[in-house]
Short mmCIF file of all heavy atoms in Angstrom, two decimals:
data_model
loop_
_atom_site.label_atom_id
_atom_site.label_comp_id
_atom_site.label_asym_id
_atom_site.label_seq_id
_atom_site.Cartn_x
_atom_site.Cartn_y
_atom_site.Cartn_z
N ARG A 80 5.33 26.71 14.04
CA ARG A 80 6.22 26.51 15.18
C ARG A 80 7.32 25.52 14.81
O ARG A 80 7.08 24.56 14.08
CB ARG A 80 5.45 25.99 16.40
CG ARG A 80 4.32 26.91 16.84
CD ARG A 80 4.86 28.18 17.48
NE ARG A 80 3.79 29.09 17.91
CZ ARG A 80 3.34 30.11 17.19
NH1 ARG A 80 3.85 30.35 15.99
NH2 ARG A 80 2.38 30.89 17.65
N MET A 124 3.49 33.81 8.50
CA MET A 124 3.08 33.36 7.16
C MET A 124 4.27 32.83 6.38
O MET A 124 4.19 31.79 5.71
CB MET A 124 2.42 34.50 6.40
CG MET A 124 2.05 34.15 4.97
SD MET A 124 1.11 35.45 4.14
CE MET A 124 -0.51 35.17 4.88
N THR A 136 9.41 19.42 1.99
CA THR A 136 9.73 18.89 0.66
C THR A 136 11.07 18.17 0.69
O THR A 136 11.21 17.06 0.16
CB THR A 136 9.76 20.02 -0.38
OG1 THR A 136 8.46 20.63 -0.45
CG2 THR A 136 10.14 19.50 -1.75
N ALA A 139 10.92 14.83 2.46
CA ALA A 139 10.21 13.81 1.68
C ALA A 139 11.02 13.35 0.48
O ALA A 139 11.05 12.15 0.14
CB ALA A 139 8.86 14.36 1.23
N THR A 165 2.50 39.99 1.10
CA THR A 165 3.27 38.84 1.54
C THR A 165 2.64 37.53 1.09
O THR A 165 3.35 36.57 0.78
CB THR A 165 3.41 38.85 3.08
OG1 THR A 165 4.02 40.08 3.46
CG2 THR A 165 4.27 37.70 3.57
N ARG A 206 -11.74 32.19 7.90
CA ARG A 206 -10.73 32.20 8.95
C ARG A 206 -9.92 33.48 8.95
O ARG A 206 -9.49 33.96 9.99
CB ARG A 206 -9.80 30.99 8.78
CG ARG A 206 -10.43 29.66 9.15
CD ARG A 206 -9.43 28.52 8.95
NE ARG A 206 -9.96 27.25 9.41
CZ ARG A 206 -9.31 26.10 9.31
NH1 ARG A 206 -8.10 26.08 8.77
NH2 ARG A 206 -9.85 24.99 9.75
N ASP A 221 -14.71 24.35 -7.36
CA ASP A 221 -15.04 23.25 -6.46
C ASP A 221 -13.77 22.49 -6.08
O ASP A 221 -12.97 22.12 -6.95
CB ASP A 221 -16.02 22.29 -7.17
CG ASP A 221 -16.32 21.07 -6.34
OD1 ASP A 221 -17.12 21.17 -5.39
OD2 ASP A 221 -15.73 20.00 -6.63
N ARG A 270 -9.89 42.21 -0.84
CA ARG A 270 -8.87 42.93 -0.07
C ARG A 270 -7.48 42.33 -0.28
O ARG A 270 -6.67 42.89 -0.98
CB ARG A 270 -9.21 42.93 1.44
CG ARG A 270 -10.35 43.86 1.77
CD ARG A 270 -9.93 45.30 1.69
NE ARG A 270 -9.03 45.68 2.74
CZ ARG A 270 -8.41 46.83 2.79
NH1 ARG A 270 -8.56 47.71 1.82
NH2 ARG A 270 -7.61 47.13 3.80
N ARG A 271 -7.18 41.21 0.29
CA ARG A 271 -5.91 40.55 0.03
C ARG A 271 -6.21 39.32 -0.80
O ARG A 271 -7.00 38.48 -0.41
CB ARG A 271 -5.20 40.16 1.34
CG ARG A 271 -3.88 39.43 1.11
CD ARG A 271 -3.17 39.17 2.41
NE ARG A 271 -2.65 40.40 2.97
CZ ARG A 271 -1.40 40.83 2.80
NH1 ARG A 271 -0.57 40.15 2.05
NH2 ARG A 271 -1.00 41.95 3.36
#
Side-chain angles (χ1 to χ4, degrees):
R80 302 289 180 264
M124 176 173 283
T136 298
T165 303
R206 287 180 175 178
D221 175 78
R270 286 287 290 172
R271 179 175 289 265

